[in-house]
């Protein structure tokens, strides 16, 4: 059962549009410690390297700013400058599966979902006591770049209360075989993350869940900058916390949720080479704090035995503060977004399933945006299906684009508070099916 494509549980074969699931078993088979190692094998996903050795996913050739990354359906706060989420910082230890929707999904999720959505689904508390622990140590051929990894998880259910917690630590020493390029082959790097999730079943029809996730990454190494050698030291951390209610009221499925996401970065460059006597920036320090506050609700109900109707509401506030680059004055800006969306999932006639949705976003800075989407699945046989969809997406101007002014060696970045949203229109069609243990699909978009 998957949830990202329609926000309601569906069997994978009944999901409209281009969709992919990476299961816990497949994640384990990759041996990847962090999500970038898993997403490398996803169809239509390309990982873009960004300054600082981060890795940001693209979908269908659209850059990271146009791909929405979620954790259990919740947004992350934005990262350094105008990037989204560095997936090399997220441990796989707590991941149950990854759901990937290719193509615009703004009809459900609003801004940023032009290229698609990557939803990281975390593990739920196990019914019986269980735990795991793994420790690994190694070096490279030269006895350098020592690496130590410790990770583990524990969880159980005690009557109506379930709990699961995990921890992950990965430390690597700096390694540099060619000092003359002023660029460390690998940084002195430490990654730490942990999380906890609790579920309380008040009754069979009412559940309250809450939890939090935290990860911190520090990287220190040599970087060429301002025609000299600098020591780059960067520490970033992400904090996510939520509380959620799920239940059945008067024949309807109801979800209410409030969550918070924060990204912080402290980064500095120190001139240690002395190669450029005209370097006016022998020491540079950046301090960034980006936050999201969101409350949302979703109600789904079956009407006329054939229509699964969903109604969603949300309010989001984003804040950006700090200094992000040399010469920049400190920024402290806030934008808000209100949204309502509707979706109807129904059987038009035997064999033809239709999902139609529409979302209205009202942004505090640029006004309103409407995003429609319609998808169809026609079952030719029990194991052979035609799929087609049309969708529109948009991306609101980011706080960085609206308000942040930076000065770079390569050129200046000038903000524009009068920017309008980016918009996209997407068409896709294809066929998919299964024969025995084999499955396949061909999609044109």
């Amino acid at each position: 059962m998957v949830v990202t494509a329609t926000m309601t549980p569906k069997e994978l074969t009944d999901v409209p549009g281009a969709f992919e699931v990476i299961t816990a078993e497949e994640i384990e088979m990759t041996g990847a410690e962090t999500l970038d190692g898993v997403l490398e094998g996803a169809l239509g996903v390309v990982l873009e390297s960004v300054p600082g050795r981060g890795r940001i996913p693209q979908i269908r050739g659209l850059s990271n700013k146009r791909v929405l990354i979620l954790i259990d359906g919740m947004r992350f706060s934005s990262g350094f400058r105008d990037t989204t989420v560095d997936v090399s910082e997220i441990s796989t230890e707590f991941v149950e599966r990854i759901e990937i929707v290719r193509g615009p999904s703004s009809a459900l999720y609003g801004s940023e979902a032009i290229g698609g959505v990557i939803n990281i689904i975390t593990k739920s508390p196990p019914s019986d006591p269980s735990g795991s622990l793994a420790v690994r140590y190694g070096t490279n051929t030269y006895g350098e770049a020592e690496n130590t990894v410790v990770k583990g998880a524990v969880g159980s259910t005690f009557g109506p209360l379930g709990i699961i917690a995990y921890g992950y630590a990965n430390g690597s020493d700096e390694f540099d075989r060619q000092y003359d390029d002023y660029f460390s082959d690998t940084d002195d790097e430490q990654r730490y993350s942990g999380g906890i999730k609790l579920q309380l079943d008040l009754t069979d029809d009412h559940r309250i869940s809450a939890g939090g996730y935290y990860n911190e990454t520090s990287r220190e190494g040599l970087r060429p900058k301002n025609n000299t050698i600098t020591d780059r030291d960067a520490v970033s951390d992400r904090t996510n916390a939520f509380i959620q209610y799920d239940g059945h009221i008067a024949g309807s499925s109801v979800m209410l949720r409030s969550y918070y996401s924060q990204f912080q970065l402290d980064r500095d460059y120190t001139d240690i080479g002395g190669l450029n006597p005209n370097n006016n920036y022998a020491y540079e320090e950046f301090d960034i704090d980006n936050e999201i506050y969101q409350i949302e609700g979703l109600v789904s109900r079956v009407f006329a035995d054939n229509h699964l109707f969903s109604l969603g509401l949300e309010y989001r506030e984003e804040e950006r503060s700090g200094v992000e680059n040399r010469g920049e004055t400190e920024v402290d800006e806030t934008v808000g977004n209100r949204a309502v969306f509707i979706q109807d999932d129904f059987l038009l006639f035997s064999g033809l399933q239709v999902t139609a949705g529409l979302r209205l976003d009202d942004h505090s800075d640029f006004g309103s945006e409407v995003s429609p989407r319609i998808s169809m699945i026609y079952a030719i046989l029990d194991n052979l299906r035609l799929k087609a969809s049309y969708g529109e997406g948009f991306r609101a101007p980011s706080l960085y684009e609206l308000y942040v002014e930076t000065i770079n060696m390569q050129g200046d970045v000038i903000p524009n508070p009068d920017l309008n949203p980016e918009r996209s229109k997407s068409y896709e069609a294809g066929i998919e099916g299964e024969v025995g243990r084999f499955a396949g699909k061909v999609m044109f978009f």
Side-chain angles (χ1 to χ4, degrees):
M1 302 296 288
V2 294
V3 296
T4 306
T6 60
M7 283 195 180
T8 53
K10 275 187 172 292
E11 294 283 353
L12 187 57
T13 54
D14 298 328
V15 173
F19 195 83
E20 181 178 359
V21 178
I22 305 175
T23 66
E25 291 78 14
E26 291 169 328
I27 293 172
E28 185 175 2
M29 287 174 62
T30 67
E33 302 283 354
T34 52
L35 285 188
D36 57 316
V38 179
L39 292 173
E40 283 178 328
L43 185 63
V45 177
V46 175
L47 295 179
E48 174 188 1
S49 296
V50 294
R53 292 196 164 134
R55 306 192 76 192
I56 310 293
Q58 303 178 357
I59 294 181
R60 289 182 171 176
L62 293 176
S63 68
N64 71 87
K65 295 187 291 185
R66 298 161 183 88
V67 175
L68 181 60
I69 302 177
L70 308 171
I71 182 165
D72 291 326
M74 297 173 281
R75 288 171 174 261
F76 287 92
S77 55
S78 59
F80 178 58
R81 293 188 184 170
D82 215 13
T83 59
T84 53
V85 182
D86 178 4
V87 291
S88 71
E89 296 181 348
I90 301 176
S91 168
T92 59
E93 187 66 18
F94 205 34
V95 178
E96 177 63 31
R97 66 184 185 276
I98 303 171
E99 299 183 357
I100 302 172
V101 182
R102 296 186 293 277
S105 301
S106 293
L108 286 177
Y109 296 101
S111 181
E112 283 89 64
I114 286 183
V117 177
I118 297 175
N119 193 6
I120 304 159
I121 309 296
T122 61
K123 295 178 180 177
S124 298
S127 56
D128 299 316
S130 63
S132 64
L133 177 65
V135 179
R136 188 184 72 235
Y137 171 82
T139 67
N140 65 11
T141 305
Y142 307 98
E144 302 169 314
E146 293 187 47
N147 176 234
T148 304
V149 177
V150 180
K151 59 182 180 179
V154 63
S156 187
T157 297
F158 309 93
L161 177 64
I163 183 171
I164 186 170
Y166 86 102
Y168 171 78
N170 186 332
S172 299
D173 289 344
E174 184 178 359
F175 172 67
D176 195 0
R177 300 299 295 175
Q178 189 176 354
Y179 185 82
D180 292 343
D181 63 0
Y182 313 147
F183 203 113
S184 299
D185 294 337
T186 62
D187 289 337
D188 186 357
E189 182 174 283
Q190 285 80 40
R191 304 180 190 181
Y192 306 99
S193 63
I196 186 170
K197 182 190 289 187
L198 300 98
Q199 293 180 349
L200 178 62
D201 292 323
L202 303 174
T203 68
D204 291 341
D205 290 330
H206 303 279
R207 167 181 287 178
I208 293 177
S209 54
Y213 321 103
Y214 175 82
N215 67 271
E216 177 182 300
T217 301
S218 65
R219 297 182 174 108
E220 183 176 5
L222 300 180
R223 297 290 191 277
K225 189 176 177 69
N226 306 331
N227 297 317
T228 187
I229 310 172
T230 64
D231 180 62
R232 175 187 176 277
D233 190 358
V235 180
S236 63
D237 62 74
R238 286 191 176 274
T239 303
N240 288 50
F242 78 96
I243 184 168
Q244 178 173 327
Y245 164 80
D246 294 277
H248 297 276
I249 302 175
S252 300
S253 297
V254 179
M255 185 278 289
L256 300 172
R257 178 165 60 195
S258 175
Y259 68 87
Y260 168 77
S261 178
Q262 181 186 43
F263 171 81
Q264 290 183 312
L265 173 67
D266 293 318
R267 175 183 292 185
D268 60 65
Y269 294 86
T270 304
D271 184 348
I272 62 173
L275 303 179
N276 181 9
N278 298 319
N279 180 20
N280 296 321
Y281 301 97
Y283 179 76
E284 302 177 47
E285 184 176 10
F286 313 124
D287 184 7
I288 303 164
D289 189 357
N290 300 330
E291 297 175 284
I292 284 180
Y293 305 85
Q294 180 155 324
I295 55 174
E296 58 190 6
L298 177 67
V299 179
S300 300
R301 181 168 182 159
V302 175
F303 289 94
D305 297 326
N306 188 31
H307 292 259
L308 176 58
F309 186 81
S310 300
L311 170 66
L313 298 168
E314 71 176 50
Y315 174 76
R316 180 173 67 257
E317 192 171 277
E318 298 183 52
E319 298 180 4
R320 194 178 191 105
S321 61
V323 177
E324 298 200 33
N325 210 340
R326 176 199 325 136
E328 178 195 319
T329 56
E330 186 167 351
V331 171
D332 189 357
E333 299 287 348
T334 301
V335 296
N337 190 81
R338 297 174 294 177
V340 56
F341 64 86
I342 57 174
Q343 178 179 268
D344 190 12
D345 192 352
F346 59 97
L347 191 67
L348 187 61
F349 56 80
S350 180
L352 181 61
Q353 189 75 24
V354 177
T355 304
L358 184 72
R359 175 172 167 132
L360 171 65
D361 284 88
D362 182 32
H363 195 275
S364 62
D365 280 39
F366 68 77
S368 300
E369 194 74 20
V370 177
S371 305
R373 189 169 191 261
I374 184 168
S375 302
M376 293 174 287
I377 304 176
Y378 179 66
I380 304 173
L381 302 169
D382 290 341
N383 62 341
L384 187 64
R385 298 166 295 281
L386 291 174
K387 290 187 175 183
S389 68
Y390 168 79
E392 297 183 10
F394 82 99
R395 187 182 76 86
S398 67
L399 279 165
Y400 179 82
E401 293 167 322
L402 292 171
Y403 301 115
V404 176
E405 180 176 1
T406 63
I407 299 174
N408 294 293
M409 294 291 291
Q410 296 82 6
D412 299 343
V413 177
I414 306 301
N416 182 0
D418 297 323
L419 285 173
N420 291 322
E422 298 177 359
R423 298 179 179 90
S424 74
K425 296 180 180 181
S426 177
Y427 309 82
E428 64 184 28
I431 186 169
E432 68 176 32
E434 304 83 34
V435 177
R437 298 177 62 185
F438 295 92
K441 68 175 69 176
V442 177
M443 299 291 291
F444 298 91
F445 67 92

